[in-house]
Amino acid sequence: MFIFNLINESNAHAILSWRYEPLYDLYNYSEPEANLLQHILHPQNTFYSILDENGELVAYCSFGQDGQVTGGDYHEQALDIGMGIRPDLTGRGKGAEYANAVLEFADSLFQPKAFRVTIAAFNKRAIRVWQKLGFKHQQSFERGSDEMQFILLLRVDYCNSNR
């Protein structure tokens, strides 16, 4: 069971300090911390801390434009999801558990007709997690700034398609 809270400054600082091993070090925050801290704490960016049953920070998620990557086609209406798991907890086969909790939480908050995730193409672990949860490949694209490859996955929430 996970607890979701709007992110606070303490958890934002913790997340900014997380360091992933290469190849995954692309997810390390590298901008000046003050700029990122303001971005993460701004309510419009809807960042949430994800705590375990002991109240320990284990992951975070965001909803909306923060989950988009320049170069992708986001014309289809869907709720974009961003998510990060604490580095020492990655690669343990628990990704679907975290992602499913994020989907349930997002559904209760936003009740979207569709969910969307954008993932670096090399991140096969994350791609498998979201595909296991019913997400389908929509497009592959290149981020213009550095030519990094990304894929966009979509899941239409059939239960909620009448909303």
Side-chain angles (χ1 to χ4, degrees):
M1 183 179 128
F2 298 106
I3 302 156
F4 289 78
N5 292 318
L6 261 177
I7 201 154
N8 62 31
E9 192 167 341
S10 172
N11 286 343
H13 278 292
I15 289 163
L16 290 172
S17 73
W18 289 354
R19 292 293 170 257
Y20 297 90
E21 299 291 323
L23 295 167
Y24 300 96
D25 58 354
L26 129 91
Y27 299 112
N28 294 342
Y29 285 105
S30 58
E31 282 182 42
E33 186 169 312
N35 294 343
L36 283 169
L37 187 63
Q38 289 175 350
H39 175 78
I40 291 171
L41 290 173
H42 196 289
Q44 178 184 337
N45 296 323
T46 58
F47 273 81
Y48 287 85
S49 300
I50 303 173
L51 312 175
D52 67 11
E53 61 276 356
N54 301 316
E56 191 174 325
L57 178 65
V58 294
Y60 70 92
C61 61
S62 65
F63 304 107
Q65 194 170 356
D66 185 71
Q68 298 179 359
V69 174
T70 304
D73 179 359
Y74 295 96
H75 76 277
E76 193 164 339
Q77 189 174 3
L79 178 64
D80 289 288
I81 297 172
M83 186 176 94
I85 298 170
R86 203 174 69 208
D88 64 310
L89 299 175
T90 62
R92 296 183 175 189
K94 300 269 190 188
E97 186 180 340
Y98 291 105
N100 196 53
V102 169
L103 288 170
E104 288 178 7
F105 179 69
D107 190 53
S108 72
L109 269 187
F110 302 104
Q111 301 177 332
K113 293 184 177 177
F115 295 101
R116 182 170 45 217
V117 292
T118 304
I119 304 170
F122 76 83
N123 193 344
K124 304 298 186 211
R125 292 189 316 205
I127 293 166
R128 278 193 303 273
V129 162
W130 293 100
Q131 286 177 329
K132 189 189 297 186
L133 296 175
F135 282 71
K136 306 287 183 218
H137 183 276
Q138 291 300 112
Q139 66 172 285
S140 298
F141 66 94
E142 188 175 278
R143 181 168 61 189
S145 61
D146 59 6
E147 300 180 352
M148 179 170 271
Q149 299 292 315
F150 287 85
I151 68 161
L152 200 143
L153 300 171
L154 185 75
R155 184 178 99 175
V156 175
D157 197 348
Y158 297 106
C159 300
N160 298 328
S161 59
N162 297 333
R163 291 183 182 158

